[in-house]
């Protein structure tokens, strides 16, 4: 059982009455505090797997450096200055050269594992802020949440399964490589060959274990995510209170208006782009008409706007090669009398048919709909 698993339990919300799913605002607040759904198994699996892969790729180079450092010290072991400052510098250089690549890959893998789970970069000082209430936790509550619970039972079973799986993999791999182990017994002084055989078996076991840990980290992440979402569940009263706070929050109001503008803008762009013609005032009003014989018996008002919105409709029309026709009375009349998505009234049908006739589209569409 890892510390991460235990820490997550302190946020568990098993209080009676917390039946509502957490709101976006509560999830965002938790994220700002550094609280996200996260499995330590995923981080550990990433670090373990990429460290083993790096070790495998650099095995020959590491062995060469290891031989060089052994030769360096063994050839000087009978000298009085074997542990001199120069020897210490040499040892430190070799140590850094051999350790830094694996350490760097482990660091990057750990960061990548967190970013994958956090869905991007997340930085918060909240998790490391001292909290004196956790120094002396309530033992009964602690045991209930970390051991005598579904999550606690899952963690214990998971740990036992990992130990059993690694033991089984070690048995299978050693049994399959029994010939290499017998070679070691009869190596007759071939220390380097024996070392190579042992290293090969060890790498196979490490690779198998790292892949296994990565596989089991996936369901563990979803279990941790489910536990995290349960911990943020709200009561009906909390939902109502949050809604009231949102109603009076200028920042939330501004964000909602911006979202509405974006949705409205998206609808206008699509509607104008699909239209047959845009009729303008030419500066103050603009309406977009669409005639689809499969949907209606006459043209439909696809979009309309006044002033800045009218200019936007004309701009979108130009970008999408939709014809623009100037007819002030028609533009004003359609804007004032026809709702979005409605068929144009009979009183405007004759003049609209003239517009379509000039565009050489109306006659063809009329025949197709007849």
């Amino acid at each position: 059982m890892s510390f991460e698993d235990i820490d997550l339990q302190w946020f568990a919300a098993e209080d009676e009455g917390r039946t509502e799913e957490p709101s976006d605002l509560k999830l965002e607040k938790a994220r700002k505090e550094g609280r996200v759904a996260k499995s330590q198994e995923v981080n550990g699996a990433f670090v373990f797997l990429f460290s083993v892969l790096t070790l495998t790729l650099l095995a020959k180079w590491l062995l060469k450096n290891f031989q060089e450092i052994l030769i360096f010290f063994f050839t000087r072991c009978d000298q009085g200055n074997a542990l001199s400052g120069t020897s210490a510098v040499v040892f430190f250089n070799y140590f850094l050269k051999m350790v830094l690549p694996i350490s760097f890959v482990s660091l990057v893998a750990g960061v990548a594992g967190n970013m994958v789970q956090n869905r991007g970069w997340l930085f918060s000082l909240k998790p490391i802020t001292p909290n004196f209430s956790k120094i002396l936790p309530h033992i009964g509550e602690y045991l209930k949440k970390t051991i005598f619970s579904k999550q606690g039972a899952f963690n214990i079973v998971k740990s036992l399964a990992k130990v059993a799986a690694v033991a089984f993999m070690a048995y299978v791999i050693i049994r399959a490589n029994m010939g290499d182990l017998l070679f070691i017994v009869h190596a007759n002084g071939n220390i380097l060959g024996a070392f190579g055989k042992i290293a090969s078996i060890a790498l196979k076991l490490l690779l198998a274990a790292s892949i296994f840990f990565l596989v089991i980290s996936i369901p563990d992440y979803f279990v941790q995510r489910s536990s995290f979402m349960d911990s943020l569940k709200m009561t009906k009263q909390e939902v109502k209170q949050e809604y009231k706070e949102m109603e009076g929050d200028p920042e939330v109001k501004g964000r909602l208006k911006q979202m509405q503008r974006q949705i409205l803008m998206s609808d206008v762009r699509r509607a104008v782009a699909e239209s047959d013609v845009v009729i303008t005032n030419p500066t103050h009003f603009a309406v977009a008409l669409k005639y689809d014989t499969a949907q209606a018996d006459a043209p439909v008002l696809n979009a309309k706007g006044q002033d800045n919105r009218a200019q936007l409709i004309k701009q979108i029309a130009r970008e999408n090669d939709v014809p623009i026709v100037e007819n002030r009375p028609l533009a004003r009349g359609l804007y004032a009398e026809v709702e979005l998505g409605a068929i144009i009234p009979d009183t405007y049908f004759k003049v609209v048919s003239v517009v379509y006739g000039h565009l050489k589209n109306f006659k063809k569409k009329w025949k197709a709909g007849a």
Side-chain angles (χ1 to χ4, degrees):
M1 187 187 306
S2 64
F3 175 78
E4 182 71 17
D5 295 331
I6 294 174
D7 187 64
L8 186 59
Q9 298 308 311
W10 287 100
F11 298 106
E14 298 176 359
D15 298 341
E16 189 175 348
R18 294 196 177 189
T19 57
E20 305 302 311
E21 293 297 323
S23 64
D24 292 340
L25 185 63
K26 188 166 186 178
L27 289 172
E28 184 179 351
K29 182 180 178 181
R31 182 176 177 83
K32 289 180 179 179
E33 295 176 352
R35 296 167 53 198
V36 293
K38 186 167 62 175
S39 167
Q40 193 67 15
E41 296 294 335
V42 174
N43 291 349
F46 266 68
V47 172
F48 189 21
L49 176 61
F50 285 99
S51 297
V52 171
L53 291 175
T54 305
L55 184 62
T56 304
L57 293 173
L58 301 179
K60 291 184 178 179
W61 178 80
L62 291 171
L63 179 60
K64 178 176 175 295
N65 282 273
F66 187 67
Q67 287 177 305
E68 289 177 0
I69 196 171
L70 285 179
I71 292 172
F72 177 84
F73 281 101
F74 273 115
T75 55
R76 290 165 176 77
C77 63
D78 60 341
Q79 300 177 11
N81 62 346
L83 298 177
S84 63
T86 303
S87 299
V89 170
V90 171
F91 174 80
F92 187 70
N93 287 339
Y94 271 101
F95 177 79
L96 286 181
K97 187 164 63 171
M98 297 169 68
V99 171
L100 279 180
I102 299 177
S103 301
F104 177 75
V105 171
S106 299
L107 177 63
V108 173
V111 173
N114 275 294
M115 292 186 68
V116 168
Q117 296 183 84
N118 298 341
R119 300 180 182 180
W121 180 260
L122 176 63
F123 179 78
S124 175
L125 296 177
K126 183 73 174 180
I128 61 175
T129 302
N131 188 348
F132 297 103
S133 64
K134 291 186 179 181
I135 295 178
L136 295 174
H138 191 281
I139 300 300
E141 188 73 13
Y142 173 82
L143 293 176
K144 178 183 176 182
K145 292 184 177 182
T146 58
I147 298 178
F148 302 108
S149 66
K150 291 181 180 179
Q151 180 67 33
F154 175 78
N155 290 332
I156 293 174
V157 171
K158 178 180 63 179
S159 299
L160 293 175
K162 287 164 65 176
V163 173
V166 172
F168 177 74
M169 285 185 287
Y171 169 78
V172 172
I173 291 173
I174 291 174
R175 185 184 178 93
N177 292 271
M178 191 61 69
D180 291 337
L181 294 175
L182 293 175
F183 168 82
I184 296 173
V185 176
H186 304 289
N188 296 326
N190 186 359
I191 298 177
L192 189 61
F195 181 80
K197 297 292 184 182
I198 294 175
S200 176
I201 295 173
L203 278 177
K204 290 178 182 177
L205 177 58
L206 289 173
L207 281 172
S210 63
I211 294 173
F212 172 75
F213 289 157
L214 182 62
V215 170
I216 66 171
S217 71
I218 297 174
D220 183 73
Y221 168 77
F222 287 104
V223 171
Q224 297 297 329
R225 177 176 175 80
S226 175
S227 178
F228 174 75
M229 295 300 288
D230 286 342
S231 74
L232 295 180
K233 279 187 175 180
M234 308 166 67
T235 63
K236 294 183 183 298
Q237 182 60 34
E238 287 175 336
V239 174
K240 292 179 181 178
Q241 184 63 31
E242 185 181 273
Y243 182 74
K244 289 180 180 178
E245 293 175 357
M246 287 176 61
E247 281 187 319
D249 190 342
E251 183 179 348
V252 174
K253 283 184 175 180
R255 192 182 307 167
L256 290 174
K257 287 183 179 179
Q258 183 181 3
M259 291 174 61
Q260 291 171 352
R261 284 195 297 267
Q262 289 176 348
I263 294 172
L264 191 59
M265 186 72 69
S266 175
D267 291 342
V268 169
R269 287 190 175 278
R270 184 175 64 254
V272 175
E274 294 174 353
S275 298
D276 300 322
V277 61
V278 170
I279 303 173
T280 68
N281 182 336
T283 56
H284 297 293
F285 297 95
V287 294
L289 301 180
K290 171 73 174 178
Y291 181 39
D292 186 349
T293 57
Q295 301 293 332
D297 296 329
V300 172
L301 190 73
N302 243 18
K304 66 177 181 176
Q306 184 177 5
D307 297 330
N308 291 337
R309 191 173 176 82
Q311 299 303 319
L312 174 62
I313 290 175
K314 293 190 333 187
Q315 178 185 341
I316 298 170
R318 295 189 191 98
E319 293 173 356
N320 293 274
D321 296 326
V322 177
I324 299 175
V325 175
E326 180 181 339
N327 189 317
R328 299 187 181 193
L330 181 59
R332 281 180 172 272
L334 291 176
Y335 179 86
E337 299 180 27
V338 185
E339 297 295 329
L340 284 174
I343 297 175
I344 62 171
D346 294 341
T347 52
Y348 293 101
F349 187 77
K350 184 175 181 180
V351 64
V352 169
S353 66
V354 172
V355 172
Y356 270 88
H358 285 304
L359 297 174
K360 299 181 181 179
N361 287 326
F362 182 75
K363 185 180 292 186
K364 182 174 64 175
K365 291 185 177 182
W366 181 261
K367 289 181 179 179

